[in-house]
Amino acid sequence: MKKTKLFAALLAGALLSGGPSAMACTNILVTKGASKTGSTMISYSADSHTLYGELYYRPAADYPAGTMMKVYEWDSGKLLGEIPQAAHTYSVVGNMNEHQLLIGESTWGGLHQLVDTTGIIDYGSLMYIALQRCRTAREAVEFMTKLVAEYGYASSGESISVADPNEVWVLEIIGKGTKIVDGKNVNKGAVWVARRIPDGMISAHANQARITTFPLNDPENCIYSPDVISFAREAGLYTGKDKDFDFAAVYNPFDYSGMRGCEGRVWSVFRQVTDGMDKYLDHVTGRNPKNRLPLWVKPSHKLTVKDVAEFMRNHYEGTELDMTCDPGAGAFKLPYRWRPMTFKVGDEEFFNERAIATQQTGWWYVGECRGWLPDPIGGVLWFGVDDAAGSPLTPFYCGIDRIPNAYAVGNGNMTTYSETSMFWVVNRVTNFAYQRYNIIQPDVKRAMDRFENRCFAEQPAVDGAAEMLYKQNPKLAIDFLTDYSVNTAQRLFDTWVALDRYLLVKYIDGNVKKEDAEGVFTDNGQGRGIPAMPDFPGYSEEWKAMVKEATGDRLKVVEATGKK
């Protein structure tokens, strides 16, 4: 299949799945034995050109018998139908509930003929309904799969990450298509398989199904729909033996985009934690679909929240896919490529690299679940908005009962600017930095590290104070953690407003003002607000050489030879 057709299929998969978040997200899954503190972790970037960065909050609630819940498609807002409401729902902050249940996802689309046009449970509903009704990862996997069996699955292929303080699971699911008999879809539901990540390992997924063959008799660590293999046979998708059944190969076969734009991101994580990953370069560059990455790897060192956050900020630095090392990076080594994903030169088509950190992220998080602490204290959602490489994380404890205005739903949207929205102020900073990335981004990264490192340093004291209060009265601990989370997020907002102004003053008009200290600009000696002569950093040597090559002698400075 030609690459033009591959990327048309990629776009079609995004449209079939219902919207903007499709084919774009990255998850990293960390088990207890792979983390430095003994926590489980999931990271998730919700990447979309139309998704607004805000922190969803759903308080716990009780409902009378007979109450119905309307189900809206997460991406489009379309009403899909309604289901019976639970008698009691748990509070949810972002993608973590009050019991430290944590969920993320990435869409892979899969075979287009398996989309169920009659289902009413989309992938977003799966996540957020499960968070409101489940306490553990295993319970959530079982609940989500039963829900789609009863009401139908309204999305395309999906990988869903699920963690609690003890276990980390990945669930891969796809519908069974639409076959109407007597007015009903006899293929309602989904085929799926879920695997528990072994303790001490990490996994990742990024818009490509990753579960291949799986154990058929290990219910402690692997569960699957009863018809996951038989349906494939009936649909003419598989003819081999049960033990050789490969879920990903059957329901989401590789194409160039799946290897280069999806598995490449998984590789960028794995190669930072274990040796030997370069042997998969032919796979992640789209040349060898058979040399696929493992589902999980054992990291060479225990990981922290900060480690995982930095993995989410990756642009393939230091590899042959490094996005700063070709002309597409421009004069200032920008590790981003504006969409569309491909471009043509004559009859040839080329690929714009797609790293984990991307400009169109709506929001992202690194969640940690810590079983040695009471639930309201143990679960922390480190949350950010916009591009992860330019977006600082701030902690939200899972037991809090209110959200700061800067992150609240309704404070601006993608077509309405808000001066009090964290999403908009982060976008002001990131989009300014994109203009001269290698010059401005170091200041942004320094501000991010300073804020995050302070939060990490404060965490033991915050945990300890909350534990003492919890022993007296859990409500006191929740009030304390809510105040801490809200006030810390507000401090970050204020810091980023100041950073936005500082960067504009320092880097206006392509110059770089001299500083006596950070934010204290060197005066020209007259004390009247006139700066010293700024620096003119100009362009990189590589860029100047390319300009010379492209223009020949047109820009060359020569001695005048004419006579007066």
Side-chain angles (χ1 to χ4, degrees):
M1 183 183 287
K2 293 181 179 179
K3 284 188 277 184
T4 51
K5 292 183 179 179
L6 293 174
F7 282 91
L10 183 66
L11 177 60
L15 295 174
L16 284 168
S17 69
S21 293
M23 312 306 288
C25 308
T26 304
N27 289 200
I28 302 170
L29 302 82
V30 181
T31 59
K32 291 168 58 176
S35 74
K36 190 171 184 178
T37 63
S39 64
T40 63
M41 290 183 274
I42 288 176
S43 68
Y44 172 29
S45 59
D47 301 336
S48 164
H49 294 276
T50 60
L51 181 65
Y52 188 62
E54 55 195 357
L55 182 60
Y56 311 140
Y57 172 62
R58 298 167 176 83
D62 295 304
Y63 298 91
T67 301
M68 300 298 288
M69 173 189 177
K70 292 185 184 302
V71 178
Y72 294 92
E73 189 174 48
W74 183 37
D75 288 327
S76 69
K78 174 186 175 183
L79 177 64
L80 296 176
E82 58 181 22
I83 64 174
Q85 180 59 277
H88 177 76
T89 59
Y90 304 126
S91 67
V92 181
V93 177
N95 284 50
M96 179 182 279
N97 77 10
E98 62 183 278
H99 298 293
Q100 303 193 62
L101 177 63
L102 178 64
I103 302 181
E105 60 78 33
S106 73
T107 300
W108 38 267
L111 303 176
H112 65 87
Q113 68 266 34
L114 299 185
V115 173
D116 178 2
T117 59
T118 69
I120 68 169
I121 303 295
D122 71 305
Y123 75 99
S125 301
L126 272 184
M127 293 192 296
Y128 294 113
I129 296 174
L131 285 166
Q132 290 182 297
R133 302 188 186 191
C134 301
R135 298 172 68 102
T136 70
R138 187 182 295 266
E139 179 188 358
V141 169
E142 293 173 349
F143 170 81
M144 288 188 286
T145 53
K146 289 177 181 176
L147 195 66
V148 298
E150 184 171 0
Y151 296 102
Y153 181 53
S155 296
S156 60
E158 196 79 26
S159 298
I160 301 178
S161 306
V162 193
D164 61 31
N166 296 305
E167 298 185 348
V168 181
W169 287 76
V170 58
L171 163 68
E172 296 197 326
I173 184 169
I174 190 170
K176 297 190 287 187
T178 306
K179 183 178 179 181
I180 304 299
V181 177
D182 296 330
K184 295 181 179 180
N185 181 15
V186 296
N187 283 346
K188 183 175 71 172
V191 287
W192 55 271
V193 60
R195 299 203 66 177
R196 180 183 176 184
I197 308 303
D199 194 40
M201 303 292 178
I202 73 164
S203 186
H205 55 84
N207 309 121
Q208 177 69 40
R210 307 215 56 248
I211 297 176
T212 56
T213 57
F214 53 90
L216 301 176
N217 190 26
D218 184 12
E220 184 67 20
N221 299 296
C222 180
I223 52 180
Y224 51 90
S225 59
D227 60 347
V228 66
I229 300 175
S230 61
F231 173 79
R233 294 187 194 282
E234 294 166 8
L237 301 173
Y238 184 68
T239 58
K241 298 179 180 179
D242 284 6
K243 67 180 181 65
D244 298 324
F245 182 77
D246 182 325
F247 181 91
V250 170
Y251 292 117
N252 186 212
F254 272 126
D255 58 20
Y256 177 86
S257 63
M259 290 179 280
R260 187 65 179 264
C262 302
E263 291 290 88
R265 284 179 272 155
V266 174
W267 173 79
S268 76
V269 176
F270 286 0
R271 65 170 296 276
Q272 294 181 77
V273 300
T274 191
D275 294 332
M277 286 294 112
D278 282 352
K279 67 184 179 183
Y280 298 106
L281 263 172
D282 62 345
H283 176 70
V284 300
T285 53
R287 300 190 295 268
N288 185 358
K290 295 182 179 180
N291 188 28
R292 65 181 307 149
L293 294 165
L295 179 56
W296 52 65
V297 297
K298 184 178 179 62
S300 59
H301 59 280
K302 306 284 188 178
L303 304 179
T304 65
V305 169
K306 183 67 169 176
D307 291 331
V308 177
E310 293 305 313
F311 297 157
M312 296 297 288
R313 291 167 171 149
N314 182 264
H315 306 103
Y316 295 120
E317 286 88 351
T319 76
E320 68 177 54
L321 305 182
D322 192 328
M323 297 174 70
T324 67
C325 296
D326 64 69
F332 301 105
K333 298 188 177 297
L334 179 68
Y336 298 92
R337 301 296 181 268
W338 313 132
R339 299 300 181 252
M341 287 287 290
T342 61
F343 62 96
K344 296 186 74 171
V345 178
D347 293 331
E348 294 183 295
E349 189 166 22
F350 299 88
F351 178 64
N352 275 323
E353 208 71 71
R354 201 302 192 187
I356 292 179
T358 185
Q359 64 272 18
Q360 74 267 16
T361 299
W363 47 260
W364 69 292
Y365 69 69
V366 180
E368 58 174 338
C369 311
R370 303 176 295 169
W372 63 92
L373 291 165
D375 284 338
I377 307 168
V380 184
L381 192 76
W382 296 85
F383 187 78
V385 290
D386 192 34
D387 173 6
S391 170
L393 293 172
T394 189
F396 291 98
Y397 282 78
C398 72
I400 65 176
D401 58 16
R402 73 179 189 277
I403 299 299
N405 181 60
Y407 292 83
V409 174
N411 184 7
N413 56 52
M414 284 298 282
T415 60
T416 306
Y417 180 80
S418 170
E419 292 184 348
T420 59
S421 161
M422 189 66 188
F423 178 78
W424 281 116
V425 72
V426 172
N427 269 279
R428 288 177 65 93
V429 170
T430 54
N431 279 269
F432 186 69
Y434 293 156
Q435 299 175 42
R436 286 176 289 152
Y437 195 81
N438 64 334
I439 296 172
I440 299 174
Q441 179 63 15
D443 277 345
V444 179
K445 186 66 168 70
R446 186 161 45 250
M448 290 166 52
D449 288 341
R450 182 184 299 143
F451 178 85
E452 291 176 354
N453 289 339
R454 174 177 168 179
C455 291
F456 295 137
E458 291 172 348
Q459 190 174 18
V462 174
D463 291 346
E467 275 194 280
M468 288 190 294
L469 291 170
Y470 190 87
K471 290 174 182 177
Q472 298 178 45
N473 184 340
K475 183 64 168 62
L476 292 175
I478 289 172
D479 289 345
F480 168 73
L481 292 172
T482 299
D483 287 343
Y484 174 76
S485 298
V486 170
N487 292 337
T488 301
Q490 184 60 48
R491 173 165 56 85
L492 175 57
F493 174 79
D494 295 339
T495 299
W496 238 244
V497 169
L499 177 65
D500 178 40
R501 295 169 180 167
Y502 163 70
L503 295 175
L504 178 62
V505 173
K506 181 175 180 178
Y507 293 107
I508 192 171
D509 296 335
N511 303 328
V512 181
K513 287 187 176 67
K514 296 180 174 66
E515 294 175 283
D516 296 325
E518 188 174 311
V520 181
F521 297 104
T522 305
D523 189 82
N524 71 348
Q526 305 304 313
R528 300 182 62 84
I530 300 174
M533 185 59 65
D535 294 326
F536 309 123
Y539 300 93
S540 67
E541 293 304 314
E542 296 89 344
W543 184 257
K544 287 185 283 188
M546 285 189 289
V547 171
K548 175 181 179 294
E549 181 69 22
T551 60
D553 289 339
R554 182 168 63 85
L555 301 178
K556 186 176 181 180
V557 176
V558 298
E559 290 187 18
T561 57
K563 297 181 179 179
K564 292 184 179 179

